[in-house]
Amino acid sequence: MKKYSALKGTQDILPPDIHIWQKVEKVAKDVFTAYGFQELRAPIIESTDIFIRSIGETTDIVEKEMYTFSDKAGRSITLRPEGTAPIVRCYVENHLYNLPSPQKFFYSGPMFRHERPQAGRFRQFFQIGAEAFGIGEPKIDAEILSMLKLFFERLGLKGLNFQVNSIGCEKCRPDYRNALVNFFSDRINGLCPDCKRRFEYNPLRILDCKVDACIKLREGTPRVTDFLCSECSEHFNKLLSLLNLLNVPYVINPDMVRGLDYYTRTTFEITSKQLGAQNAVAAGGRYDRLVEDFGGPPTPAIGFAIGMERITALVKSSCKETIPVPEVFIATIGESAEKEGLVIADKLRNKGIWVEIGYAGNSLKSQLRKADRLSAHYVLIIGDDEIAAGKLKWKRLSDGTRGEIPFNEVYNFFN
Ligand code: HAM
């Protein structure tokens, strides 16, 4: 028989790990809601051009990593490699810019990039992201970083490194581009074929090439922060002072340019030393031009995305998560007891209590063994004698305490 397996770079998320995923999702929802972000769900497939237009034609994602196919009508469709472009498309298409600013959204779900799989890097991976539209002032940049700090604190994660940078705007970018072209013009022969092309079309992208030779040739590259115009410089300095005010620890990383073209001004990455090569657990930045590029009115915006596989790996290794177990196991002997047990189970489940029961012909001993294996908190035992006496037996497995209760009181016994 042919054996099937999950595709390379994809994975099944099973219990007990799923409990960590659910916890991270809940903490994100609670924290983001306190900052006024509402959930938005956009499709997983989009027209390919929205990603080319936003992420950029000469980025690794667009050049090499997108899952793109033609649908039956010959349209080019792409499985979303990230969440920002779809949210911006949705924001513009639904005229959400007509609503009061800021409009703040969060989203979660799978993203797809055809990368070389390795620890912490998948082809289908999950993100929780957030995007805020309509505010250009650095106050919201600081709020977002402070929100991320709270999110990590709530998950009990320590030792994360907040790296921030500013990559300027359309006003200061040309000067920086020229400085890069000057810098790389006598190094061009040593660059990889992709970077030779990037040199022509988008020299900034040479800065996030992962080829060793290019990394070496980058030593001494001009820094974007030395080319910021006065407005971008002021924006960045204000952000830094607000981060101090809010006690968000950060380091400035002037080499961080991010791998997507839509960014302007603030960019940031949050990394962990515990994660090896793929160490970014969350990343984001401003994209003040993108709404306009998608046909909307000029609308500044900022957002980020958290990598779920990486964050759950950190939560798993840093705190002992308690795995949920059944509250009650109902063991029965005989046909009438089995029916009685089923009714009690139904009523307790109706109260939201997790109840497990024994099945067809299992001896009392094997049912009790099963309750033990499941680590149920309580076992209820019902047989003909208990039915005749109108009382069932209970036992608390943690300390062996036992007793009897009338059938009609069992529902109040568990709250
Ligand atoms: P990104 O840096 O491409 O940004 O991805 C954000 C996070 O997703 C990364 O820091 C990492 O934790 C996770 N991630 C990315 N690729 C993979 C992968 N192949 N396997 C596992 N995890 C991965 C964005 O996606 C932007 N849309 C973030 C943003 C939102 N910027 C503004 N708004």
Side-chain angles (χ1 to χ4, degrees), residues 32-45:
F32 299 175
T33 303
Y35 280 78
F37 285 77
Q38 301 183 76
E39 188 173 1
L40 193 158
R41 296 187 190 182
I44 288 173
I45 51 171

Side-chain angles (χ1 to χ4, degrees), residues 201-263:
Y201 297 108
N202 194 354
L204 202 74
R205 288 277 72 87
I206 299 173
L207 302 185
D208 55 34
C209 176
K210 281 134 200 130
V211 174
D212 283 343
C214 299
I215 294 173
K216 261 219 177 89
L217 283 173
R218 286 206 296 260
E219 271 168 36
T221 315
R223 289 182 151 172
V224 62
T225 33
D226 294 330
F227 291 82
L228 297 182
C229 63
S230 56
E231 290 91 336
C232 286
S233 211
E234 194 188 332
H235 183 101
F236 192 44
N237 289 330
K238 271 195 185 154
L239 167 63
L240 300 182
S241 72
L242 291 172
L243 292 178
N244 292 334
L245 176 77
L246 294 171
N247 288 320
V248 179
Y250 63 83
V251 290
I252 299 170
N253 178 357
D255 297 324
M256 182 185 51
V257 291
R258 310 272 300 120
L260 305 102
D261 275 354
Y262 50 64
Y263 290 113

Side-chain angles (χ1 to χ4, degrees), residues 332-398:
T332 55
I333 319 141
E335 223 172 280
S336 332
E338 212 174 293
K339 283 185 187 150
E340 195 68 51
L342 201 56
V343 172
I344 294 174
D346 233 27
K347 290 198 173 153
L348 288 175
R349 285 165 173 166
N350 212 338
K351 284 180 76 174
I353 294 168
W354 179 0
V355 183
E356 294 292 338
I357 55 174
Y359 288 99
N362 284 345
S363 68
L364 180 62
K365 201 166 155 199
S366 80
Q367 291 182 66
L368 295 181
R369 229 184 359 244
K370 190 167 171 199
D372 226 19
R373 232 184 14 241
L374 291 170
S375 302
H377 290 137
Y378 286 89
V379 185
L380 302 182
I381 301 167
I382 312 172
D384 290 341
D385 291 352
E386 283 74 20
I387 292 177
K391 285 180 180 172
L392 51 80
K393 294 200 174 76
W394 63 266
K395 183 179 172 192
R396 192 160 59 210
L397 291 187
S398 57

